[in-house]
Amino acid sequence: MTEFIPPGTRFIDLPSPFPMKRGGALVGARMAYETWGTQDPAGGNAILILTGLSPDAHARSHDGDPAPGWWDAMIGPGRPIDTDRWFVVCVNSLGSCKGSTGPASTDPETGAVYRLGFPELSIEDGADAAAHVVRALGIGRLACVIGNSMGGMTALSLLARHPGLARAHVNICGAARALPFSIAIRSLQREAIRLDPDWNGGRYDEATYPESGMRMARKLGVITYRSALEWDGRFGRVRLESDRRDDDDPFGLEFEVESYLEGHARRFVRRFDPNCYLYLSRSMDWFDIGDSVDGDTAAGLSALQVERALAIGVQTDILFPLQQQQQIAEGLRAGGVDASFLPLASPQGHDAFLVDIERFGPAVGGFLDAL
Amino acid sequence: MTEFIPPGTRFIDLPSPFPMKRGGALVGARMAYETWGTQDPAGGNAILILTGLSPDAHARSHDGDPAPGWWDAMIGPGRPIDTDRWFVVCVNSLGSCKGSTGPASTDPETGAVYRLGFPELSIEDGADAAAHVVRALGIGRLACVIGNSMGGMTALSLLARHPGLARAHVNICGAARALPFSIAIRSLQREAIRLDPDWNGGRYDEATYPESGMRMARKLGVITYRSALEWDGRFGRVRLESDRRDDDDPFGLEFEVESYLEGHARRFVRRFDPNCYLYLSRSMDWFDIGDSVDGDTAAGLSALQVERALAIGVQTDILFPLQQQQQIAEGLRAGGVDASFLPLASPQGHDAFLVDIERFGPAVGGFLDAL
């Protein structure tokens, strides 16, 4: 229903109509993006960042928007993704509500918000839209495409559908296909939203936002983004002070970890559009890089053309487990790519790439420095 | 609201009043139990089985109830828990809805169902109630107390509060205290039930059973009871045949794994009382064997008195992770117990003890044979 667009966002129109993989087309659609650093006249120093489900394009602060970005520690002068050398582009995913066209946008053909009238969204559509942004910025060939989580899927799809568009690739906690455990988690998140009477088949508004469904979805997300190991050290069995508890609610918050989840849920609901969440979530379930080769994931990976690649995983990640990044590296290698697999011992689970800069900084920075 | 009592269930009255750890007392309460095998005149061949959250006392078929039990493969003549040698007792947990008194039972003092008027339930209350059953059956000392999952907590509490009542102990996928990841999962399950408008503060009836909340809770349970590894081999990315899909529901079931969860949820809802679920779930969050020694879990474990113990864990268990069974074995050893830790490579996660009889049979049977 509502879009949430950072103030420094810029836009590039998609070709109109923009055909969608599973049918239908978008008319008058656009992509939101932000950039850092300076583009070489030759255009060889560009890096594209593709995000997970929820982030916007504001990966780092800049003159147009001094607010901290979601990957500030990784991007900037002298940082692992060094903007003294690289021209860094981050796009908001197609189908999101942070500036790129999605289910919360207005359909120019009807004048009404798309809602569930938005065409079925696939990872491949997001890859095509991102590739259009790259070309529209005058970038003939990316030095590297970096994809985190869902963005790791999008990056693989971009390599498959736009051969030659990137010289190198870093896949961070991504996957070549969705596994049933992750599908189950996402299916349950979507069910929580759909069960909320306020969702109302996607026809909510500000006053009837499906808040409890989105809270449940977000809490389940946060549980699967982190790890038991981290939480044991961080929260243990610490209880809330009595003034932070509701004594009239016999099943109310009692432990710090419950309060932590509650805080995450509060910061998320009404900051993300529920229909966009459903569309993006489902697009991940559908993804398999082997789709175009009879569901042979390894064959799909070995057909990808890049010179060098790095697949980074985290030992405590239960949502995109380590074996998935290993599969990516091995599949690329089978196709002749100089690809490495780097398992990290971060305790923070799937979200480690956002917080364990001590491990991810050298891993990503080292790879880029050697390009 | 409703109790679900297997036909062959027997009952033992608890002392009345039966004091509860966190305050209040039960009047006219009873415990449901079933037995297999023959009790030695000397009473030295008794084994007590304490269950996870949802099972009833019907662990195995018998003349009074030929229906298969939930642990048929483990119990019986010549089976790992060999009823030719052992007199096996399984109790339904206090607070459950399968025969033992709980929130779905009628409060004899008011003539109405307890609902949220049931006193706060702790694991310790369940241990005291189980110990009463043991003594009421004329068992001076158990040969062994076996606890699975939540029952592993109850067993540790029984050892702490009733020293000398058991000679040996097998802890299966149990824990000496609840960890924040598991607390978070259970908190979310309880929230799903409480958010269902039909829960209505615990005042539902048959017509208004909080079905969607219980479905969500059960699905989340099943996700955390199994493992990503198992599901990848079992379901992969297999989709439902089109005749099993609802084409009018754009976010309906599509993958086999979603249908599997749906089936589990359907079999569970209306077969378990939601208020009982809330009480038992919360009792696990509260449990820490170190509570009586200033929250020092290791000290709580080392104070336990048994001769021999075995703590079995599963590498793919995310709900009661392996480290927790290791902690139990190490804590018991520190107190002088001959205790072993046995990590198993079962792919089925927390539920492995119910299905991976190939691994669990020899592990439990071998320990019991040597007693």
Side-chain angles (χ1 to χ4, degrees):
Chain A
M1 182 53 209
T2 313
E3 297 176 89
F4 308 90
I5 307 174
T9 305
R10 286 183 287 171
F11 300 95
I12 283 175
D13 288 338
L14 288 174
S16 185
F18 179 81
M20 301 285 274
K21 182 194 174 202
R22 295 175 65 100
L26 298 176
V27 172
R30 66 180 188 176
M31 287 290 284
Y33 73 100
E34 300 190 21
T35 69
W36 303 263
T38 306
Q39 191 170 3
D40 273 356
N45 73 329
I47 290 177
L48 173 67
I49 296 173
L50 298 167
T51 79
L53 187 155
S54 61
D56 51 35
H58 191 59
R60 177 182 164 77
S61 60
H62 52 70
D63 290 347
D65 182 358
W70 56 265
W71 227 15
D72 253 48
M74 284 291 283
I75 306 167
R79 299 214 168 153
I81 304 173
D82 188 348
T83 51
D84 286 339
R85 176 178 178 197
W86 304 110
F87 173 61
V88 180
V89 182
C90 182
V91 299
N92 178 232
S93 305
L94 184 70
S96 177
C97 53
K98 309 270 177 104
S100 294
T101 297
S105 307
T106 298
D107 177 356
E109 295 196 314
T110 66
V113 173
Y114 278 110
R115 303 181 186 276
L116 302 197
F118 197 78
E120 290 185 347
L121 177 76
S122 67
I123 291 289
E124 288 82 353
D125 301 319
D128 289 350
H132 178 79
V133 172
V134 170
R135 294 195 183 100
L137 289 172
I139 300 164
R141 192 173 198 202
L142 291 161
C144 186
V145 54
I146 300 175
N148 305 329
S149 186
M150 181 185 87
M153 294 175 160
T154 314
L156 293 175
S157 179
L158 182 143
L159 297 177
R161 296 166 73 86
H162 303 275
L165 191 58
R167 274 207 301 136
H169 168 46
V170 180
N171 200 295
I172 296 180
C173 302
R177 60 171 180 166
L179 291 182
F181 182 84
S182 312
I183 291 174
I185 294 280
R186 286 191 290 262
S187 175
L188 200 56
Q189 291 174 305
R190 295 193 298 269
E191 187 170 352
I193 295 170
R194 293 160 57 224
L195 277 175
D196 187 330
D198 284 336
W199 179 62
N200 188 28
R203 293 178 300 276
Y204 48 84
D205 58 26
E206 282 296 313
T208 62
Y209 181 99
E211 187 158 330
S212 60
M214 285 294 278
R215 287 162 43 92
M216 286 290 296
R218 182 58 171 176
K219 286 188 178 183
L220 181 51
V222 173
I223 288 175
T224 56
Y225 297 157
R226 311 299 290 213
S227 87
L229 178 69
E230 180 205 8
W231 283 4
D232 193 20
R234 186 166 168 184
F235 303 115
R237 294 182 45 77
V238 176
R239 283 167 161 87
L240 295 173
E241 300 289 334
S242 59
D243 61 352
R244 290 172 64 201
R245 293 169 58 174
D246 177 0
D247 290 337
D248 294 335
D249 183 353
F251 294 97
L253 305 182
E254 174 168 352
F255 291 92
E256 277 289 351
V257 68
E258 294 177 281
S259 172
Y260 166 84
L261 285 179
E262 183 71 19
H264 265 283
R266 284 206 189 137
R267 286 192 297 278
F268 188 71
V269 299
R270 297 191 178 276
R271 297 287 304 155
F272 206 90
D273 179 76
N275 289 336
C276 293
Y277 194 95
L278 294 175
Y279 272 80
L280 288 164
S281 166
R282 187 180 55 178
S283 76
M284 280 189 268
D285 289 3
W286 281 336
F287 184 66
D288 185 344
I289 193 72
D291 260 357
S292 57
V293 278
D294 291 329
D296 184 339
T297 307
L301 284 168
S302 68
L304 301 183
Q305 295 167 28
V306 274
E307 292 170 13
R308 298 188 54 198
L310 172 66
I312 310 177
V314 170
Q315 282 164 7
T316 52
D317 187 344
I318 58 174
L319 201 60
F320 287 72
L322 213 53
Q323 300 90 312
Q324 297 207 278
Q325 296 85 45
Q326 186 170 15
Q327 179 184 41
I328 291 169
E330 288 174 358
L332 290 171
R333 263 205 302 275
V337 178
D338 174 9
S340 309
F341 164 55
L342 179 62
L344 296 180
S346 311
Q348 297 97 340
H350 184 62
D351 264 1
F353 68 89
L354 294 171
V355 287
D356 188 4
I357 304 304
E358 202 176 321
R359 286 190 176 86
F360 275 87
V364 175
F367 179 83
L368 296 178
D369 289 349
L371 286 183
Chain B
M1 182 56 207
T2 313
E3 297 175 89
F4 308 90
I5 307 175
T9 305
R10 285 183 287 171
F11 299 95
I12 283 175
D13 287 337
L14 288 174
S16 185
F18 178 80
M20 301 285 274
K21 182 195 173 201
R22 295 175 64 101
L26 297 176
V27 172
R30 66 180 188 177
M31 288 289 284
Y33 73 99
E34 301 190 21
T35 69
W36 302 264
T38 307
Q39 190 170 4
D40 273 355
N45 74 327
I47 289 177
L48 173 67
I49 296 173
L50 298 167
T51 78
L53 187 154
S54 61
D56 51 35
H58 191 59
R60 176 183 164 77
S61 61
H62 52 69
D63 291 346
D65 182 358
W70 55 264
W71 226 16
D72 252 50
M74 285 290 283
I75 306 168
R79 299 215 168 152
I81 303 173
D82 188 348
T83 51
D84 287 338
R85 176 178 177 197
W86 304 110
F87 173 60
V88 180
V89 182
C90 181
V91 298
N92 178 232
S93 305
L94 184 70
S96 176
C97 53
K98 308 272 178 103
S100 294
T101 298
S105 309
T106 298
D107 177 357
E109 295 195 313
T110 66
V113 172
Y114 276 110
R115 303 181 186 276
L116 302 197
F118 197 77
E120 290 185 348
L121 177 75
S122 66
I123 291 289
E124 288 82 353
D125 301 319
D128 289 351
H132 177 80
V133 172
V134 170
R135 294 195 183 100
L137 290 172
I139 300 164
R141 192 172 197 203
L142 292 161
C144 187
V145 54
I146 300 175
N148 304 329
S149 187
M150 182 186 86
M153 294 175 160
T154 313
L156 293 175
S157 180
L158 182 143
L159 297 177
R161 297 167 73 87
H162 304 275
L165 192 59
R167 275 208 300 135
H169 169 47
V170 179
N171 200 294
I172 296 179
C173 301
R177 60 172 182 166
L179 290 182
F181 183 84
S182 311
I183 292 174
I185 294 281
R186 286 191 291 263
S187 175
L188 201 57
Q189 292 174 303
R190 295 194 297 270
E191 187 169 350
I193 296 170
R194 292 158 59 224
L195 277 174
D196 187 331
D198 284 336
W199 179 63
N200 188 29
R203 293 178 298 277
Y204 46 85
D205 59 26
E206 283 297 313
T208 62
Y209 180 98
E211 186 157 330
S212 60
M214 285 295 278
R215 286 164 43 91
M216 287 289 297
R218 182 58 171 177
K219 286 189 178 183
L220 181 52
V222 173
I223 289 174
T224 56
Y225 297 158
R226 312 298 291 212
S227 87
L229 178 68
E230 180 204 8
W231 283 3
D232 193 20
R234 185 165 168 184
F235 304 115
R237 294 182 46 77
V238 176
R239 283 165 161 88
L240 295 173
E241 300 288 335
S242 60
D243 60 354
R244 291 172 65 204
R245 292 170 58 173
D246 176 0
D247 290 336
D248 294 334
D249 183 353
F251 294 97
L253 305 182
E254 174 168 351
F255 291 93
E256 277 289 351
V257 68
E258 294 178 281
S259 172
Y260 166 83
L261 286 180
E262 184 71 18
H264 265 284
R266 283 205 188 138
R267 285 192 297 278
F268 187 72
V269 299
R270 298 191 177 274
R271 297 286 304 154
F272 205 91
D273 178 76
N275 289 336
C276 292
Y277 194 94
L278 294 174
Y279 271 80
L280 288 164
S281 166
R282 187 180 56 178
S283 77
M284 279 188 269
D285 290 2
W286 281 337
F287 184 65
D288 185 344
I289 193 72
D291 261 356
S292 56
V293 279
D294 292 327
D296 184 339
T297 306
L301 285 167
S302 68
L304 301 182
Q305 294 166 30
V306 274
E307 291 170 14
R308 299 188 54 199
L310 171 66
I312 310 176
V314 170
Q315 282 163 8
T316 52
D317 187 345
I318 60 174
L319 201 59
F320 286 72
L322 214 54
Q323 301 89 314
Q324 297 207 278
Q325 296 85 46
Q326 186 169 16
Q327 179 185 41
I328 290 169
E330 287 174 357
L332 289 171
R333 264 205 301 275
V337 177
D338 175 9
S340 308
F341 165 56
L342 180 63
L344 296 180
S346 312
Q348 298 98 339
H350 184 61
D351 264 2
F353 67 89
L354 294 172
V355 287
D356 188 4
I357 304 304
E358 203 176 320
R359 286 189 176 87
F360 275 88
V364 174
F367 179 83
L368 295 178
D369 289 348
L371 285 184

